[in-house]
């Protein structure tokens, strides 16, 4: 079947059987058209999102109420204060959310478009990353190891994560900028990296290691390795960070929300405490965060001790792992705040996994390995198995977060919100 015909069939299937349409597009289309199918699937997914109490989606839905009757004067006033890092009360902190909320809720008067647009943008950035990392020549023998590391990269920050709106959209934007620059050396990718703080304020800090990796490419590997391992035993003093943040109200507010001291001078991390007291199952408790970070560090140490950094890497692989190591180092230095550590380390894992995928796809671990090939394989599988809670959590989260209509007849979910239940809720009716 001709490529355009296959594309048309896949798009038609998306309207009636979205999962089958996605599978068809990914299996039979070339990457430019696969990206189109992925973006359309994300938009469909976003249009069926549920606004359950306590979810990120419900918080943003409430924010949209503030924009319903907003005029241009108020829009530009809020925008001005966001740009000077002094957001007004009730205003979001980031340009991205502010613009999209005004566009959908005020200009178009259609709040329901907010998450489909957010999902489409996220899906576009996600699809670009996949198209540059997860690709191989036709007829190539694909091993179970390759499939596993590819799957880890795909699910790390995937379709169930876009409703946070800012954090992981900013991550994929920054990642595509770094990857694009290492592949082409075109300056437009530097501009893309510079845009990540527009999505989320935190990328003013998180993007620093990414820029350092670009401009210090010739820095000796030994220096970066020593710095990385030193970060496990050295932590930045919170007092210094708190003092520096006092120069800006927004920064001070953010720091205090992530870490503060009680009346006895003891450090309190409210985000970590909330996570520990959640009462979630073991795979949810560890799969959402810890298993990802331990697994990322395990792969990083594996690449270093096996002698692959940077001697047995392509320039792109060396650039990505350098960025990942610098991000992981910064995460370790800032581990006094679990929220900062978590976001930064999640970014680091993206670069580390991308590097492992690229090396596996080109069979790089088989080319003049320092260690015995069997030992390399065992070590890599240990790293993969550390992510097991993440794999289980992704499946469970997908069932809880995903509308039953993503399987079939999505338009029914648009017409009747009362019947728009999750896959898990649907299954529960029969158990």
């Amino acid at each position: 079947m001709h490529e355009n015909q296959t594309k048309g069939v896949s798009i038609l299937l998306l309207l009636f059987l979205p999962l089958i349409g996605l599978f068809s597009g990914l299996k039979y289309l070339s990457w430019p058209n696969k990206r189109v199918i992925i973006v359309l699937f994300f938009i469909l997914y976003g249009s069926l999102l549920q606004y359950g109490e306590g979810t990120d989606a419900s918080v943003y839905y409430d924010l949209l109420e503030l924009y319903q009757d907003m005029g241009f004067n108020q829009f530009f006033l809020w925008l001005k204060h966001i740009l000077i890092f002094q957001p007004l009360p009730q205003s979001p902190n980031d340009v991205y959310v502010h613009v999209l909320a005004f566009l959908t809720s005020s200009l178009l008067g259609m709040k329901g478009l907010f998450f489909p647009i957010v999902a489409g943008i996220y899906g576009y950035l996600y699809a670009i990353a996949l198209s540059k990392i997860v690709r191989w020549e036709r007829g190539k023998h694909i091993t179970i190891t390759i499939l596993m590391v590819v799957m880890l990269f795909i699910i790390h920050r995937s379709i169930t994560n876009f409703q946070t709106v800012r954090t992981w959209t900013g991550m994929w934007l920054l990642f595509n900028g770094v990857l694009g620059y290492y592949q082409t050396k075109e300056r437009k990718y530097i501009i893309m990296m510079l845009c990540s703080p527009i999505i989320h304020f935190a990328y003013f800090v998180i993007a620093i290691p990414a820029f350092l990796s670009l401009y210090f490419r010739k820095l000796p590997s030994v220096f970066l390795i020593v710095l990385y391992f030193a970060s496990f035993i050295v932590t930045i003093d919170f007092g210094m960070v708190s003092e520096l943040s006092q120069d800006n109200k927004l920064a001070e507010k953010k720091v205090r929300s992530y870490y503060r001291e009680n009346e006895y001078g003891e450090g309190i991390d409210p985000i970590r405490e909330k996570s520990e007291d959640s009462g979630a199952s073991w795979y949810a408790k560890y799969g959402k965060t810890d298993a990802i970070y331990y697994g990322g560090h395990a792969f990083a140490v594996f690449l270093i001790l096996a002698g692959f950094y940077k001697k047995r890497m392509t320039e792109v692989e060396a650039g990505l792992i350098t960025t990942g190591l610098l991000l992981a180092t910064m995460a370790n230095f800032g581990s006094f705040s679990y929220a900062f550590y978590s976001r930064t380390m999640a970014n680091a894992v993206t670069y580390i996994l991308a590097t492992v995928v690229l090396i596996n796809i080109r069979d790089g671990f088989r080319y003049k390995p320092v260690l015995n090939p069997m030992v390399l394989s065992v070590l890599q599988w240990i790293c993969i198995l550390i992510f097991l809670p993440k794999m289980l959590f992704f499946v469970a989260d997908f069932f809880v977060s995903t509308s039953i209509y993503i399987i079939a007849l999505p338009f029914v979910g648009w017409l009747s919100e009362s019947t728009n239940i999750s896959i898990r809720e649907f299954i529960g009716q029969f158990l």
Side-chain angles (χ1 to χ4, degrees), residues 1-10 24 28-30 33:
M1 189 182 293
H2 192 273
E3 176 90 0
N4 286 334
Q5 292 177 314
T6 306
K7 178 181 176 182
V9 170
S10 297
S24 171
Y28 298 109
L29 295 175
S30 61
N33 286 322

Side-chain angles (χ1 to χ4, degrees), residues 75-148:
F75 168 76
F76 285 112
L77 177 64
W78 281 25
L79 179 61
K80 171 190 172 183
H81 282 270
I82 292 172
L83 292 174
I84 62 175
F85 308 119
Q86 295 178 358
L88 296 173
Q90 297 185 307
S91 165
N93 300 323
D94 309 288
V95 174
Y96 180 63
V97 170
H98 180 56
V99 172
L100 286 185
F102 181 71
L103 171 66
T104 55
S105 188
S106 179
L107 291 184
L108 299 178
M110 301 176 68
K111 294 185 297 182
L113 287 179
F114 179 79
F115 273 104
I117 292 175
V118 167
I121 295 171
Y122 183 98
Y124 175 72
L125 296 171
Y126 175 73
I128 289 177
L130 292 189
S131 69
K132 292 181 177 181
I133 298 295
V134 185
R135 62 189 310 161
W136 49 78
E137 297 178 0
R138 288 185 178 274
K140 177 180 174 57
H141 176 64
I142 304 300
T143 65
I144 296 178
T145 303
I146 292 177
L147 286 177
M148 290 302 295

